[in-house]
Amino acid sequence: MKVKVQNLDGGKAGSDIELKDEIFAVEPRADILHRVVTWQLEKRRGTARAARERSDVARTGKKFGRQKGGGTARHGDRRAPIFVGGGKAHGPRVRDFNPSLNKKVRALGLKMALSSKARDGKLIVMDNLDVKEAKTKALAEQLGKLGFGKNALVIDGDALNVGFAHASSNLREINLLPAVGANVYDILKHETLVLTRAAVEKLEARFNG
């Protein structure tokens, strides 16, 4: 698959780049994408902290008063939830949000996400992200000519372009990630996917490795 390489200076098309069909031309499957996105979102959830219930509190279980004649209620021990220091009634339990998903399925899901953007014409390949001046206003004008859509996910190589990162930090519709952070959820959430040449090389090496 050949794609025109663009640049930030007026969006003029440069040379073509050959994208591997086994990565950018895979037929997307909704079930695979759903499994990967669900796995990602569950992995983000933190484990709930458990509260100590009546059986977990280290207090004496001895009955502290007489059953009758004391003038008070008939309590059994101080671990009851109504006492200070007692156990929590119906407290939160530990819940494990650590699902597993086969690495091959995760890799396939990422390929399908990349392929879906390429198939829909929502994939843009940039030569680099070099900007003359790291100014938000100037960058916004340049991006408007490139047709990034309502929002775009920009993926760079190993290191992010500092100037582009500073200039785009105030643009809510632009999100920037290094190639190692490329994931299915963020790719599908944005209307347009923008890859640099370095990002394409890293993604292809990621699957070949």
Side-chain angles (χ1 to χ4, degrees):
M1 171 190 296
K2 286 187 177 181
V3 177
K4 285 285 186 181
V5 178
Q6 302 187 43
N7 54 62
L8 290 175
D9 295 332
K12 296 179 180 179
S15 59
D16 295 343
I17 185 173
E18 186 71 31
L19 301 179
K20 294 184 178 180
D21 289 343
E22 59 268 24
I23 299 176
F24 293 92
V26 180
E27 185 65 27
R29 283 176 47 185
D31 60 325
I32 297 294
L33 294 174
H34 179 268
R35 287 180 62 187
V36 179
V37 170
T38 302
W39 171 80
Q40 273 190 247
L41 296 181
E42 287 185 354
K43 290 286 285 187
R44 291 184 179 185
R45 300 184 67 177
T47 302
R49 182 185 178 191
R52 293 190 302 169
E53 296 190 339
R54 187 167 182 163
S55 61
D56 302 319
V57 176
R59 302 193 74 180
T60 178
K62 180 182 178 181
K63 186 176 178 67
F64 61 87
R66 294 185 300 167
Q67 179 74 1
K68 295 183 178 180
T72 58
R74 297 166 288 186
H75 294 298
D77 60 72
R78 291 289 182 179
R79 290 178 295 193
I82 63 172
F83 294 118
V84 174
K88 176 75 173 178
H90 310 295
R93 305 287 181 87
V94 174
R95 298 176 64 190
D96 184 20
F97 301 109
N98 190 24
S100 61
L101 187 64
N102 192 291
K103 287 184 179 180
K104 292 183 178 179
V105 178
R106 284 183 263 164
L108 182 59
L110 183 54
K111 291 179 182 179
M112 288 181 175
L114 295 170
S115 300
S116 66
K117 293 300 181 184
R119 183 190 63 177
D120 297 339
K122 299 297 184 180
L123 175 64
I124 297 176
V125 179
M126 305 292 296
D127 190 27
N128 55 62
L129 298 177
D130 295 337
V131 291
K132 293 182 179 179
E133 53 179 351
K135 299 292 184 180
T136 301
K137 182 178 180 180
L139 180 62
E141 293 176 357
Q142 291 176 324
L143 298 182
K145 300 175 183 178
L146 293 172
F148 274 25
K150 294 181 180 179
N151 52 56
L153 175 65
V154 182
I155 300 179
D156 205 353
D158 283 335
L160 299 178
N161 186 292
V162 177
F164 187 91
H166 287 169
S168 64
S169 60
N170 288 330
L171 298 176
R172 296 180 59 185
E173 64 274 14
I174 302 296
N175 285 318
L176 185 61
L177 284 178
V180 69
N183 63 86
V184 175
Y185 177 72
D186 284 327
I187 291 174
L188 296 180
K189 187 174 69 172
H190 293 80
E191 180 181 352
T192 307
L193 175 63
V194 182
L195 302 176
T196 62
R197 282 184 180 271
V200 173
E201 293 176 0
K202 290 298 178 182
L203 287 172
E204 292 180 346
R206 176 173 171 178
F207 291 114
N208 292 334

